[in-house]
Amino acid sequence: MSNATSTAWPDGLLLTYYGDDFTGSTDVMEAFTAAGVPTVLFLDVPRLEDLARFGHMRCIGLAGQSRGKSPEWMRRELPAVFQRLRDLGAPVLQYKVCSTFDSSPRVGSIGQAIDSGVNTFASTWSPMVVGAPRLKRYQVFGHLFAAANGAVHRIDRHPTMSRHPVTPMQEGDLRVHLAAQTPRRIELIDLAELSEGVGQARCTALQGDDAPVVMIDVADTASQIEAGRLVWENRGQGVFSASSSGLQYALAAYWRQQGLIPATPSLPVAFEVPCIAVVSGSCSPMSAAQIQWARANGFATERLDIAKCLDPQQVDAEIARLVVGALAAIAKNVSPIIFSAEGPDDPAVLNFESSASVAQMSTSDAAARVGQVLAEIMRQVLDGSTIRRIVVAGGDSSGAVGSHLGIQALTVEAGMAPGVPLCRAWSNDPLRDGLEVALKGGQLGSASFYGQVRSGQFA
């Protein structure tokens, strides 16, 4: 049984996607835009007039926040969203997951998302591509590896993801990890099969009426091209895929090999600005290093008190304190950074669960509250200054800020660090329209990232 089709591009849309968080959603935009595939990311389900404004796009995304949601929420909310995206007519519908695959049966269940979306097409398989070498993410024989601090770690030994406060990764084999989230059959086309040239035969043999998840190893350029070929040539009349931006990199690599897109990926370069504003809800080691670099290089760094943030009686005063400090810094042409934690060993992280307990909320709800507070701080900073370039670090924070600022859509403005484009905001509010926004996953970028965003200079 096979869904194999021709290589040529269809007319119109090539792919639609729902991102499980905002930072990952912009990662997809960067990968496709750089490859010459025009892409727009909506922050809410687009209306007909919204779609008409971006009629030249070949990829349409919808930024979501399901990575912090329960399976019950997913069962209630995702089917209608998937159907809406499917109705746009693209042959590939993607549920975009984080390249570190952080998820659990109770929060951000990738398995539940697959079960909610796989029936949007009458397909006999659901391909999954997670490895993305450009982001230093590698899947080998079903096991996921990711880089941190110059070294590559199996994901369950990763210094950040193994200790994530909400969805710690405790299993390196993605088949085992995913099996705890769905009863669906889970299969693998491994690196050896790809290199031996039997990927298509294996793909055909694994397909069935039960629409299994078929993971495809990606560790290098050759396996990335082959993964893209398998997905594209076996898309049939439409296929649903829960994948990281590894899917975009794989498809682009295959299309490039076939001469369908430009041979060399490229994005415009950003210009320098005197001042940026940053809010960070990330607790990754790289986020800590970036805050420390910024502090040592003239940025104004200020900590958000999480206990006060979770206390309805104190939160307004805490927001006011931080906004006043940020505006004072901007008045001196100093870029402010407001952060909730400085690495996984920060006492704020270690005490996070107890702070949530005192506030009588779950850790996921507490994380969402921190994101909402950072969003309100950013709104007030923008309203009180002339800042036009901002950075938000952390998935929960990015989702909250994007929603809170009245932004309808994002497109890629310029290239920056891998996985973190500088985006142009589209809004009906003239104060927000044209705002430059970088939504950064906690682990992405170098230590000097914030200085590079300000200068627009990236290696």
Side-chain angles (χ1 to χ4, degrees):
M1 186 181 308
S2 174
N3 280 338
T5 61
S6 67
T7 299
W9 282 19
D11 293 331
L13 288 174
L14 301 172
L15 183 145
T16 56
Y17 70 97
Y18 175 94
D20 71 347
D21 76 350
F22 275 53
T23 57
S25 297
T26 61
D27 178 17
V28 166
M29 270 207 309
E30 181 207 31
F32 258 11
T33 304
V37 182
T39 301
V40 60
L41 175 67
F42 289 100
L43 275 61
D44 201 354
V45 177
R47 302 163 299 173
L48 291 177
E49 55 265 39
D50 298 325
L51 293 171
R53 188 180 191 184
F54 298 98
H56 64 292
M57 296 295 171
R58 305 301 304 278
C59 175
I60 290 176
L62 177 60
Q65 299 184 58
S66 56
R67 188 155 62 122
K69 301 297 185 180
S70 68
E72 292 75 22
W73 183 94
M74 291 183 172
R75 283 192 290 269
R76 184 175 66 251
E77 302 291 336
L78 290 184
V81 172
F82 290 150
Q83 189 60 50
R84 179 72 180 97
L85 291 173
R86 183 249 182 272
D87 289 346
L88 296 179
V92 180
L93 169 57
Q94 178 185 5
Y95 177 76
K96 196 279 177 185
V97 306
C98 185
S99 61
T100 48
F101 217 74
D102 40 320
S103 56
S104 78
R106 293 178 296 174
V107 179
S109 171
I110 296 171
Q112 179 57 60
I114 293 170
D115 291 339
S116 295
V118 76
N119 292 326
T120 51
F121 293 105
S123 179
T124 54
W125 75 315
S126 182
M128 175 176 281
V129 180
V130 180
R134 183 170 187 264
L135 304 181
K136 301 189 184 301
R137 310 287 193 261
Y138 312 94
Q139 183 182 308
V140 180
F141 295 97
H143 291 256
L144 182 61
F145 297 80
N149 302 320
V152 175
H153 308 265
R154 200 173 71 191
I155 200 66
D156 56 336
R157 298 178 182 176
H158 191 278
T160 301
M161 300 318 304
S162 64
R163 304 167 61 189
H164 192 284
V166 179
T167 51
M169 290 295 288
Q170 298 172 338
E171 172 58 59
D173 189 330
L174 295 189
R175 293 166 294 179
V176 175
H177 183 79
L178 187 61
Q181 303 175 20
T182 175
R184 187 172 300 275
R185 179 161 61 100
I186 301 168
E187 302 287 358
L188 172 69
I189 301 175
D190 67 39
L191 201 61
E193 291 163 335
L194 295 174
S195 64
E196 291 165 5
V198 298
Q200 180 58 59
R202 176 77 169 150
C203 179
T204 301
L206 291 175
Q207 293 180 46
D209 292 339
D210 59 338
V213 175
V214 180
M215 297 182 174
I216 307 173
D217 276 350
V218 171
D220 54 19
T221 300
S223 55
Q224 183 168 257
I225 292 172
E226 184 64 6
R229 184 185 73 80
L230 289 174
V231 174
W232 190 242
E233 294 192 359
N234 291 273
R235 67 192 185 278
Q237 298 305 305
V239 68
F240 176 88
S241 173
S243 294
S244 76
S245 60
L247 176 62
Q248 276 66 38
Y249 287 113
L251 288 172
Y254 177 58
W255 292 336
R256 190 174 298 116
Q257 183 197 60
Q258 297 297 309
L260 299 173
I261 58 176
T264 304
S266 65
L267 286 172
V269 176
F271 58 85
E272 184 174 7
V273 294
C275 208
I276 65 172
V278 181
V279 292
S280 172
S282 168
C283 61
S284 79
M286 179 51 71
S287 290
Q290 289 161 347
I291 292 167
Q292 290 158 11
W293 182 94
R295 183 182 296 122
N297 285 273
F299 284 66
T301 60
E302 190 64 45
R303 177 187 294 274
L304 169 72
D305 188 314
I306 291 179
K308 291 180 180 178
C309 169
L310 301 181
D311 183 350
Q313 304 301 317
Q314 301 187 74
V315 64
D316 288 344
E318 179 65 0
I319 290 172
R321 177 184 73 84
L322 293 166
V323 170
V324 167
L327 293 177
I330 292 168
K332 301 174 184 176
N333 252 2
V334 174
S335 299
I337 298 179
I338 296 168
F339 64 96
S340 59
E342 199 165 339
D345 297 320
D346 191 311
V349 176
L350 302 177
N351 296 330
F352 184 74
E353 190 169 340
S354 60
S355 297
S357 179
V358 170
Q360 297 183 322
M361 61 179 67
S362 67
T363 53
S364 59
D365 286 343
R369 176 71 64 81
V370 170
Q372 292 161 5
V373 169
L374 290 173
E376 176 59 17
I377 291 168
M378 181 61 81
R379 185 191 69 79
Q380 293 189 28
V381 168
L382 287 172
D383 288 349
S385 71
T386 58
I387 288 287
R388 297 296 289 169
R389 183 177 296 176
I390 67 171
V391 182
V392 188
D396 286 323
S397 304
S398 294
V401 171
S403 300
H404 200 57
L405 295 183
I407 297 171
Q408 276 79 50
L410 297 169
T411 53
V412 172
E413 180 87 354
M416 293 198 304
V420 193
L422 186 64
C423 299
R424 190 246 198 238
W426 297 82
S427 175
N428 294 326
D429 181 350
L431 293 177
R432 304 290 183 249
D433 193 56
L435 183 69
E436 295 181 332
V437 184
L439 305 178
K440 190 191 82 69
Q443 302 166 74
L444 298 179
S446 65
S448 59
F449 176 80
Y450 294 129
Q452 293 170 324
V453 173
R454 185 178 59 189
S455 69
Q457 301 299 308
F458 282 79

